[in-house]
């Protein structure tokens, strides 16, 4: 019998790519989506809700019935607002309600999505051993979810993995983010206003992010996991790579925008080694 996976955030920037990876396996996928949202293609079971973060643990117990693994990707993520939004508190509370329902339903595994911003960013190069020191409402709520779930779920005999995401770009990205802004300006032959671009970052295509998370889902990995490239690159170099697709580095206007005094100088992840997706899938299910 195929395992049943429950996923939240399947229609989002990251979720669409994770879903693509999940669908490569012989599993049944149950997606929780907002009312009025189109169901993701290929999903066998769809549960609709006005706001999944306002649902009770009893509601989640029913939704998690017969589920082997929960993949929780949903969170408030409006660019320019999410870092300090009060919605992060609702997301934290809703995540804990989901976890309580998952426990009551007897799920085997819970995989959540965290952020590199949970770490003490002063270290620059961040491993899963780097101390946590969140500095925004978003990162604090994510860190709180990780700390709570890492205690609650294992005690309920549920495997728990927390995928910390770094800087992402790619298909389906919000147009207000850096890469779509650059593509939009350069494709029109318009100048792109940027900061100095000296910031060092860890960028990874969202398609690869989705592949790595789906690998984690089908593995027995537990605890914090860095989903990143491990390759440092300056924002300037990243912008120049995009500009080279149009042959228009001359349109990049570095230093036009003011620097953000709170923006960390360097954020680069030390990747967590991942198993091959196929090997651990079989091992995990054979051990049930």
């Amino acid at each position: 019998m195929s395992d049943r996976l429950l996923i939240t955030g399947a229609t989002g920037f990251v979720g669409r790519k994770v879903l693509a990876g999940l669908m490569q396996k012989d599993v049944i996928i149950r997606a929780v989506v907002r009312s009025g949202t189109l169901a993701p293609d290929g999903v066998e079971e769809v549960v609709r809700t006005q706001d999944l973060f306002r649902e009770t643990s009893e509601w989640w117990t029913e939704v998690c019935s017969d589920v082997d693994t929960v993949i929780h990707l949903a969170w408030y993520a409006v660019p320019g607002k999410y870092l300090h939004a009060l919605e992060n508190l609702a997301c934290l509370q809703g995540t804990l309600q989901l976890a309580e329902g998952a426990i009551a339903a007897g799920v085997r595994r819970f995989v959540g999505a965290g952020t590199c911003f949970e770490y003490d960013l002063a270290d620059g190069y961040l491993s899963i051993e780097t101390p946590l020191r969140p500095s925004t409402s978003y990162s604090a709520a994510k860190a709180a979810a990780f700390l709570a779930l890492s205690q609650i779920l294992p005690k309920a005999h549920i495997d728990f993995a927390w995928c910390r995401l770094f800087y992402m770009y790619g298909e389906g990205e919000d147009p207000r983010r850096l890469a779509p802004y650059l593509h939009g300006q350069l494709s029109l032959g318009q100048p792109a206003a940027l900061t100095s671009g000296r910031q060092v970052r860890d960028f990874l295509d969202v398609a690869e992010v989705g592949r790595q998370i789906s690998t984690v889902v089908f593995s027995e990995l537990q605890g914090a996991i860095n989903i990143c490239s491990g390759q440092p690159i300056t924002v300037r170099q990243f912008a120049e790579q995009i500009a080279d697709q149009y042959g228009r580095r001359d349109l990049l206007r570095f230093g036009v925008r003011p620097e953000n005094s709170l923006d960390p100088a360097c954020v680069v992840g030390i990747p967590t080694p991942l198993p091959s997706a196929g090997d651990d899938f079989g091992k995990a299910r054979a051990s049930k």
Side-chain angles (χ1 to χ4, degrees), residues 11 30-40 45-52 55 59 63:
T11 60
R30 178 180 296 167
V32 179
V33 303
R34 186 178 293 276
S35 299
T37 302
L38 291 176
E45 301 176 358
V46 177
V47 177
R48 299 187 183 278
T49 173
Q50 289 294 329
D51 185 350
L52 66 87
E55 299 293 358
W59 186 88
V63 170

Side-chain angles (χ1 to χ4, degrees), residues 238-253:
F238 181 72
E240 288 173 343
Q241 288 179 359
I242 293 176
D244 287 345
Q245 298 176 33
Y246 302 90
R248 295 305 306 266
R249 284 197 185 191
D250 61 299
L251 292 176
L252 300 178
R253 301 288 191 266

Side-chain angles (χ1 to χ4, degrees), residues 122-138:
D123 286 1
Y125 285 78
L126 310 172
S127 76
I128 59 172
E129 303 300 328
T130 300
L132 302 186
R133 191 182 179 186
S135 60
T136 66
S137 300
Y138 171 71

